[in-house]
Amino acid sequence: MATHRDRLGVAEAEGSASGAGSAGVEVVLLSDPATPAPLCPHGPTLLFVKVNQGKEETRRFYACSACRDRKDCDFFQWEDEKLSGARLAAREARNQRCQPPLSRTQCVERYLKFIELPLSERKFCQSCQQLLLPEDWEGHQEHRVMGDVSTTQLRRPSRLLSPLENKKTNAQYLFADRSCQFLVDLLSTLGFRRVLCVGTPRLHELIRLKASGDEKSNIKSLLLDIDYRYSQFYMEDSFCHYNMFNHHFFDGEAALEVCRTFLQDDKGEGVIMVTDPPFGGLVEPLAVTFKKLIAMWKKGQSQDNTHEELPIFWIFPYFFESRICQFFPSFRMLDYQVDYDNHALYKHGKTGRKQSPVRIFTNIPPSRIALPVEEGYRFCPLCERYVSLENQHCEHCGSCTSKDSRKWNHCFLCKKCVKPSWVHCSTCGRCALPDHSCEGPRDGCFVCGELDHKRSACPKISASRKANKAVRKQKQRKSNKMKMETAKGQSMNHTSVPKKKKRRERVHQYLSS
C-alpha cells in the first residue's frame, strides 16, 4: 500500500510547499486490493482518507477519481460499507444513464455522414455541443446553431467546442498557439514520429494539421481525453475516451487495444507521451496511470531496449516539482513557460508572480532541448541547459536555482536559494514569507509532528488502524443485531431511511469541511 498527501487545488498545493495548511485528503492506493473498487460514471473510484494535523487516521471511503467536487459526481461509499442488491442495481442504472448518448461507433458513422454533406448543410448546435445531421435539425430549432461548418473548423474542434472550465474535474485550459507551436516544433526536432496526447487536444489538432499540410511531416498522434465530445470529430484510431486518473478506457478493450498498438508500433521506437492534467488533480493517481502506460509501451520493446524509458513531457505547475520527481526521479523541470488561451493568469510575458507557473517536466536530457532565445531564454554552459534570463547561476548551489523565472537569493543559513520575497526567520530556522505564522505545521509526520519520518511510516498508524478496525467490527456486529431485531416488527427499509439520510448529510458536511 502506498499513500501520499495531496491538498485540494493549486493554491493549497503552493501553500503546502511553505508549510501552510493543517488538513488534507490522502488517496490510498493498494498494490493488490482484495476487492475491485466500486464504479461511478467516470470508471473505477479511488480510495481516500481525510487526515488532520496531530490526529489519527479516520474512516476510509471511495469517491470519484476525476471529480473533486461532489456537485459534479456525488459518488460516496465507505470502504467497509455493505450495499444491498437493490442499491447496487440502482447505482449501475445511474452509471448507465450518465454515459454519453451515442456509442463510439455511432459517433464515427455520424461523422462520416457529416463530412459528405455540402457546406450549406453542415450545422453545429452550440447549445448541445453536437454536430447535426439534417434529420436532427427539427429538434434544435430553438437552440443556438452555427451553420457552414468548414473542414478547417472540423480539424480544430477545440475552437468549435466550448471549453470545460471546472479546474477540479476536467478543466480545459487550452494551449496558446505560441506554446502549442513550440511543442510541435520541438517534437519534430527531437525526431519523434508518434505522440500520445493525454489530455492535450490542441496539440493533437496541430500535429494532425501539420501532417495533412506538409508531406515531409510524418508525425502521428493519438488523443486520450475525458471529454467525450471529441468522439464526434475523430475516427477510432485517433481518439479514445479516457480517464487519466484511473487509467480507464470508457470504450473497453477495443480502445485499450488502439492505445496499446500505438505505443508498441515499430517496437516502441519513436514515440513520446505528452500530458497536461488538470492542475487540481492528485499527483499520485496520475503517476500510477502514467506508469501503466509506460509498462504497456515496454511490452512492445525489443529485448535490446528494455533499459530505455518512454520519453514523457508532463506539463504541470512548477510547485509540484518535488511530488513529480518523487515518482519519476529521472524527470527534470524545464524553464519554459507554458501559457493558455482561456486562462486569465497563465499568460506568457507577464512579470513577477503574474507570469505562468506552468512548466514541462521531462526525462529527456535538458541539454537536448533548446528554448527560444527570442522569448528571453539563454543557454547556461555550467548547467548545460536553457534557462530564463532572470534565472541566474548560483555559485554556492552550483546551478541556476530559480523555479519561477525570478532571480532567487542565496540564504547562507538555509544553504540554498529562496524566492526573493522570502526572509530568514530565526524562530522557525528557515526562510519564509515575512508575514508567515511561526506556529504553523512543519515538514515531517502529519500525525505526530515528529520530523524524522513521514505520516506513511508513523509507528502510531499501524496500532491505531488495528484498534479502529476492531471498533468498527464491533459496531458492525451490534448494528447487524439491531437490524435483525427491528426486521421482526417492521420493514428494514422503512426504518433505515431517516438514519441513512442523516448519515449522508453528515458525509456531505464532512467532505465539504
Side-chain angles (χ1 to χ4, degrees):
M1 182 184 73
T3 62
H4 182 69
R5 182 172 70 251
D6 276 293
R7 306 291 173 85
L8 299 178
V10 172
E12 291 87 337
E14 189 172 15
S16 68
S18 59
S22 59
V25 174
E26 285 188 351
V27 59
V28 182
L29 297 173
L30 304 176
S31 56
D32 188 21
T35 57
L39 302 177
C40 77
H42 302 92
T45 55
L46 293 179
L47 186 61
F48 295 92
V49 61
K50 190 169 184 178
V51 293
N52 294 280
Q53 184 75 27
K55 295 184 179 180
E56 300 295 339
E57 181 178 299
T58 55
R59 195 175 177 187
R60 304 196 298 192
F61 59 90
Y62 289 102
C64 180
S65 64
C67 302
R68 305 290 295 279
D69 194 329
R70 296 199 67 216
K71 294 178 181 178
D72 300 308
C73 182
D74 61 357
F75 184 97
F76 183 92
Q77 179 182 323
W78 294 114
E79 180 188 20
D80 54 0
E81 184 177 3
K82 304 298 182 183
L83 301 184
S84 65
R87 284 188 63 190
L88 289 173
R91 175 182 291 172
E92 175 62 24
R94 181 180 183 276
N95 289 347
Q96 290 298 323
R97 289 195 303 270
C98 292
Q99 295 309 305
L102 299 174
S103 69
R104 189 72 181 93
T105 302
Q106 289 174 318
C107 287
V108 171
E109 291 174 351
R110 286 174 59 87
Y111 176 73
L112 294 175
K113 291 179 181 178
F114 189 90
I115 59 178
E116 293 294 329
L117 294 173
L119 184 62
S120 59
E121 295 184 12
R122 291 183 181 179
K123 297 184 178 182
F124 176 76
C125 179
Q126 294 175 313
S127 302
C128 301
Q129 298 285 284
Q130 178 184 340
L131 294 175
L132 302 180
L133 297 176
E135 56 264 32
D136 303 323
W137 293 353
E138 185 176 353
H140 297 263
Q141 291 179 350
E142 304 300 322
H143 298 179
R144 293 182 294 112
V145 176
M146 174 194 301
D148 299 336
V149 178
S150 66
T151 301
T152 301
Q153 288 174 307
L154 287 175
R155 289 177 175 175
R156 302 300 301 266
S158 70
R159 298 184 182 276
L160 200 59
L161 298 168
S162 299
L164 304 174
E165 295 189 344
N166 184 345
K167 70 179 181 181
K168 292 182 180 179
T169 307
N170 46 12
Q172 289 178 324
Y173 295 135
L174 302 168
F175 291 145
D177 286 341
R178 161 194 164 269
S179 293
C180 205
Q181 190 62 57
F182 166 75
L183 287 169
V184 172
D185 293 342
L186 177 60
L187 295 171
S188 179
T189 301
L190 292 172
F192 292 108
R193 301 186 298 275
R194 299 191 310 285
V195 183
L196 182 66
C197 296
V198 184
T200 58
R202 188 155 286 182
L203 178 64
H204 177 64
E205 292 172 6
L206 197 57
I207 292 173
R208 290 170 59 85
L209 275 175
K210 184 175 181 180
S212 63
D214 185 358
E215 295 182 356
K216 296 181 180 179
S217 176
N218 60 350
I219 301 181
K220 297 180 180 179
S221 177
L222 171 64
L223 174 63
L224 310 183
D225 202 282
I226 198 169
D227 188 353
Y228 70 87
R229 299 177 301 172
Y230 285 105
S231 298
Q232 304 175 82
F233 301 92
Y234 297 116
M235 304 296 285
E236 291 100 327
D237 61 350
S238 301
F239 171 76
C240 296
H241 187 199
Y242 178 76
N243 182 351
M244 71 174 76
F245 289 100
N246 57 10
H247 188 54
H248 178 67
F249 289 86
F250 291 88
D251 296 307
E253 186 62 32
L256 176 61
E257 185 58 32
V258 168
C259 182
R260 182 185 293 116
T261 301
F262 187 85
L263 285 172
Q264 297 179 2
D265 188 31
D266 197 17
K267 297 182 179 180
E269 294 184 5
V271 64
I272 182 174
M273 184 181 84
V274 182
T275 181
D276 183 33
F279 300 150
L282 298 170
V283 171
E284 184 163 11
L286 290 171
V288 170
T289 288
F290 299 157
K291 288 182 179 181
K292 290 179 179 178
L293 290 171
I294 293 171
M296 188 187 299
W297 167 77
K298 272 187 173 295
K299 289 183 179 179
Q301 282 194 292
S302 63
Q303 293 298 321
D304 297 335
N305 296 331
T306 53
H307 65 283
E308 298 290 338
E309 286 187 313
L310 171 67
I312 296 176
F313 283 166
W314 182 343
I315 297 166
F316 227 46
Y318 70 83
F319 37 79
F320 284 98
E321 181 183 20
S322 62
R323 299 191 194 184
I324 292 176
C325 292
Q326 175 185 352
F327 299 106
F328 297 100
S330 64
F331 277 28
R332 297 295 179 266
M333 187 179 77
L334 306 180
D335 266 23
Y336 184 81
Q337 289 185 29
V338 180
D339 59 336
Y340 298 81
D341 270 349
N342 56 328
H343 197 291
L345 297 178
Y346 294 177
K347 299 285 188 181
H348 174 72
K350 293 180 178 289
T351 58
R353 292 184 60 83
K354 294 183 179 179
Q355 56 195 332
S356 174
V358 186
R359 302 290 185 268
I360 300 173
F361 296 87
T362 181
N363 52 2
I364 299 175
S367 58
R368 294 181 56 197
I369 301 174
L371 304 185
V373 177
E374 63 274 14
E375 293 184 9
Y377 299 98
R378 62 177 181 83
F379 185 77
C380 174
L382 298 175
C383 294
E384 295 185 333
R385 70 182 181 101
Y386 278 83
V387 297
S388 61
L389 285 178
E390 294 297 321
N391 191 358
Q392 300 298 313
H393 192 90
C394 175
E395 60 180 9
H396 306 289
C397 296
S399 64
C400 294
T401 53
S402 174
K403 307 295 184 183
D404 59 7
S405 300
R406 295 183 293 169
K407 184 180 183 302
W408 284 24
N409 302 319
H410 188 83
C411 175
F412 290 95
L413 296 174
C414 292
K415 297 181 181 180
K416 64 179 182 178
C417 287
V418 298
K419 295 180 179 181
S421 57
W422 288 17
V423 296
H424 193 85
C425 175
S426 57
T427 303
C428 298
R430 61 187 177 93
C431 286
L433 289 169
D435 58 350
H436 75 284
S437 173
C438 295
E439 299 175 356
R442 300 285 302 278
D443 293 336
C445 181
F446 204 55
V447 174
C448 65
E450 295 295 331
L451 301 178
D452 59 347
H453 62 268
K454 295 293 184 180
R455 179 190 177 280
S456 58
C458 183
K460 292 186 177 181
I461 290 294
S462 57
S464 64
R465 279 180 182 163
K466 291 180 181 178
N468 290 339
K469 188 174 182 180
V471 170
R472 286 199 297 270
K473 283 187 176 181
Q474 185 178 0
K475 288 183 177 180
Q476 187 66 41
R477 287 195 295 267
K478 185 177 180 181
S479 175
N480 291 341
K481 183 178 180 181
M482 292 177 64
K483 286 181 180 179
M484 292 177 63
E485 292 175 352
T486 303
K488 295 178 181 179
Q490 50 188 317
S491 171
M492 184 185 300
N493 289 337
H494 176 75
T495 58
S496 62
V497 167
K499 184 176 180 180
K500 289 180 180 178
K501 185 176 180 181
K502 290 181 179 179
R503 184 178 65 188
R504 291 290 176 184
E505 289 175 351
R506 290 198 303 271
V507 169
H508 180 73
Q509 295 173 354
Y510 171 73
L511 288 176
S512 302
S513 62

